[in-house]
């Protein structure tokens, strides 16, 4: 059966939208973004989209991918109750609050440095006291090389706190308005957006992502959150899937395939302007890297996708493993302090 007039028109619109990205006209029409997200996997248009995203990623980062690395300052139940997170109190994975010894955190950060991580993230759960975060991060900073890019990944904060982060040596922050924010989390979207504004006002670069994608998320919600990442003018966006935590309500819904995630992160790349160099995905996979993800994460310590307290013994990958995944995706990896966060 031949293509209908509607099919031909939709295909032409998708191709025009993808071409537009090369002309540095970021897509602003939510309906069109939705159409790109809904292109059937493995269709000619999806293949074209992924090819375009890959070339755009290469242009945006001058062909050089990055590996960032994260460790944590604490582990324990968090009353913000983001249902996708292993720390959420409602998920009952961790029962006890623990501060992880600073010597161990510093040792891990030095391992990341030695392995060539382009940026090092310090993470704490959403209820970890901000003053404590600052004090301990300042000690870590003193023990790292001056050129190491340090990034904070913590709960929401205001502009004075953002300035404190800057003062103790953070160059940027990872923060996101997550899928389901305010519904499957106890955090209002506006509070997350206020943190974005605080970062900008304090001169902290922002890394963000369309995450954590689950099978139940509608095109409308994906578009809404994708547009938020674009409008935040981040150092990078991208897309990451939710890792199911077994025995939890969201865990029961399963996971989106890596093939589908490759398509979604490709849409993110064509929607964001070329002035944004990074396009991340998590967890690291070669399909996503080939489709244009030029930023992957290594992890140690606790992480919200793992039920192990030490993710290096569980799901977490090393810097070398992330570099190997990028190599499988035909990327060269940048050597030096993150160009994405300093773009
Ligand atoms: S994602 Fe952050 S704020 Fe939400 S439950 Fe987990 S640690 Fe708490």
């Amino acid at each position: 059966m031949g293509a209908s007039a509607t099919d031909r028109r939709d295909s032409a619109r998708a191709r025009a939208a993808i071409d537009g990205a090369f002309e540095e006209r970021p897509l602003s029409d939510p309906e069109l973004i939705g159409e790109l997200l809904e292109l059937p996997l493995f269709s000619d248009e999806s293949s074209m989209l992924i090819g375009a995203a890959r070339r755009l990623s290469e242009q945006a980062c001058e062909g050089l991918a990055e590996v960032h690395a994260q460790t944590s300052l604490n582990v324990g139940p968090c009353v913000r109750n983001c249902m996708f997170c292993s720390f959420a109190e409602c998920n009952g994975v961790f029962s006890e609050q623990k501060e992880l010894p600073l010597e161990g955190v510093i040792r891990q950060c030095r391992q990341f440095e030695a392995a060539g991580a382009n940026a090092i993230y310090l993470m704490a759960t959403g209820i970890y006291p901000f003053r404590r975060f600052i004090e301990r991060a300042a000690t870590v900073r003193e023990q790292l090389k001056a050129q190491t890019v340090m990034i904070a990944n913590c709960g929401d904060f205001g502009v004075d706190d953002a300035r404190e982060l800057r003062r103790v040596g953070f160059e940027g922050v990872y923060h996101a308005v997550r899928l389901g924010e305010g519904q499957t989390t106890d955090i209002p979207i506006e509070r997350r957006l206020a943190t974005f504004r605080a970062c900008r006002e304090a001169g902290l670069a922002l890394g963000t992502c369309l995450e954590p994608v689950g099978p139940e998320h509608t095109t409308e919600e994906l578009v809404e959150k994708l547009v938020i990442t674009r409008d935040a003018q981040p150092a990078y966006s991208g897309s990451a899937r939710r890792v199911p935590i077994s025995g939890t309500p969201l865990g029961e819904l399963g996971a989106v395939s890596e093939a589908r995630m490759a398509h979604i992160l490709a849409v993110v790349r064509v929607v964001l302007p070329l002035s944004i160099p990074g396009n991340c995905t998590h967890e690291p996979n070669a399909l996503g890297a080939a489709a244009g993800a030029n930023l992957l994460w290594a992890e140690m310590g606790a992480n919200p996708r793992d039920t192990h307290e030490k993710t290096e013994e569980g799901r977490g990958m090393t810097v070398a493993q992330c570099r190997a995944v990028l190599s499988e995706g035909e990327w060269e990896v940048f050597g030096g302090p993150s160009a994405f966060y300093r773009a």
Side-chain angles (χ1 to χ4, degrees), residues 135-341:
E135 284 163 21
R136 300 188 89 211
T139 307
V140 175
R141 171 76 269 179
E142 283 164 12
Q143 301 299 319
L144 301 184
K145 294 177 184 165
Q147 69 268 27
T148 294
V149 173
M150 239 171 74
I151 305 300
N153 183 1
C154 58
D156 289 283
F157 50 79
V159 69
D160 290 344
D161 294 337
R163 291 197 178 104
E164 275 290 279
L165 290 169
R166 193 100 177 89
R167 186 185 62 75
V168 298
F170 285 104
E171 292 188 39
V173 162
Y174 177 80
H175 212 66
V177 177
R178 286 83 48 93
L179 291 151
E181 198 76 81
Q183 294 166 339
T184 54
T185 77
D186 283 350
I187 308 174
I189 289 177
E190 180 47 40
R191 192 178 306 160
R192 308 294 284 177
L193 292 173
T195 302
F196 281 11
R197 290 193 293 274
C199 289
R200 182 168 311 162
E201 212 165 309
L204 287 163
L206 175 73
T208 193
C209 185
L210 178 64
E211 57 113 341
V213 180
E216 78 282 13
H217 291 126
T218 62
T219 299
E220 289 68 31
E221 182 168 13
L222 292 170
V223 172
E224 179 204 344
K225 299 299 186 322
L226 200 172
V227 167
I228 287 174
T229 79
R230 182 198 64 195
D231 293 351
Q233 299 174 318
Y236 60 83
S237 183
S239 194
R241 66 179 175 177
R242 184 176 67 229
V243 173
I245 299 169
S246 85
T248 67
L250 290 186
E252 298 305 308
L253 300 178
V256 173
S257 68
E258 289 182 356
R260 171 87 178 124
M261 287 309 304
H263 181 99
I264 294 173
L265 70 88
V267 175
V268 175
R269 181 63 272 178
V270 303
V271 169
L272 266 58
L274 279 172
S275 55
I276 295 172
N279 191 40
C280 63
T281 198
H282 200 60
E283 294 170 324
N285 67 94
L287 203 50
N294 58 7
L295 170 56
L296 303 179
W297 279 276
E299 293 173 302
M300 289 202 258
N303 106 46
R305 288 162 299 280
D306 208 334
T307 53
H308 284 258
E309 193 174 306
K310 296 179 179 174
T311 196
E312 62 272 27
E313 295 172 2
R315 306 189 66 89
M317 283 199 187
T318 64
V319 173
Q321 286 170 325
C322 290
R323 293 173 80 101
V325 171
L326 286 167
S327 174
E328 292 291 348
E330 293 281 340
W331 282 104
E332 192 182 331
V333 180
F334 179 59
S338 173
F340 294 173
Y341 268 108

Side-chain angles (χ1 to χ4, degrees), residues 76-89 123-127 154-156 178 181 185-187 192 304:
C78 175
V79 294
R80 301 280 181 262
N81 278 331
C82 308
M83 291 172 66
F84 46 78
C85 173
S86 61
F87 304 132
E89 190 172 46
M123 188 216 77
T125 60
I127 55 165
C154 58
D156 289 283
R178 286 83 48 93
E181 198 76 81
T185 77
D186 283 350
I187 308 174
R192 308 294 284 177

Side-chain angles (χ1 to χ4, degrees), residues 1 5 9-10 38 40 55 105-106 133 150 168 266 311 329:
M1 199 193 302
R9 193 183 61 235
D10 289 351
E38 287 180 356
R55 294 194 300 281
V105 174
I106 291 167
F133 188 86
M150 239 171 74
V168 298
T311 196

Side-chain angles (χ1 to χ4, degrees), residues 13-31:
R13 270 169 67 84
R15 284 164 190 258
I18 295 162
D19 287 344
F22 279 101
E23 292 160 20
E24 297 205 42
R25 290 186 286 110
L27 302 184
S28 55
D29 178 358
E31 198 181 326

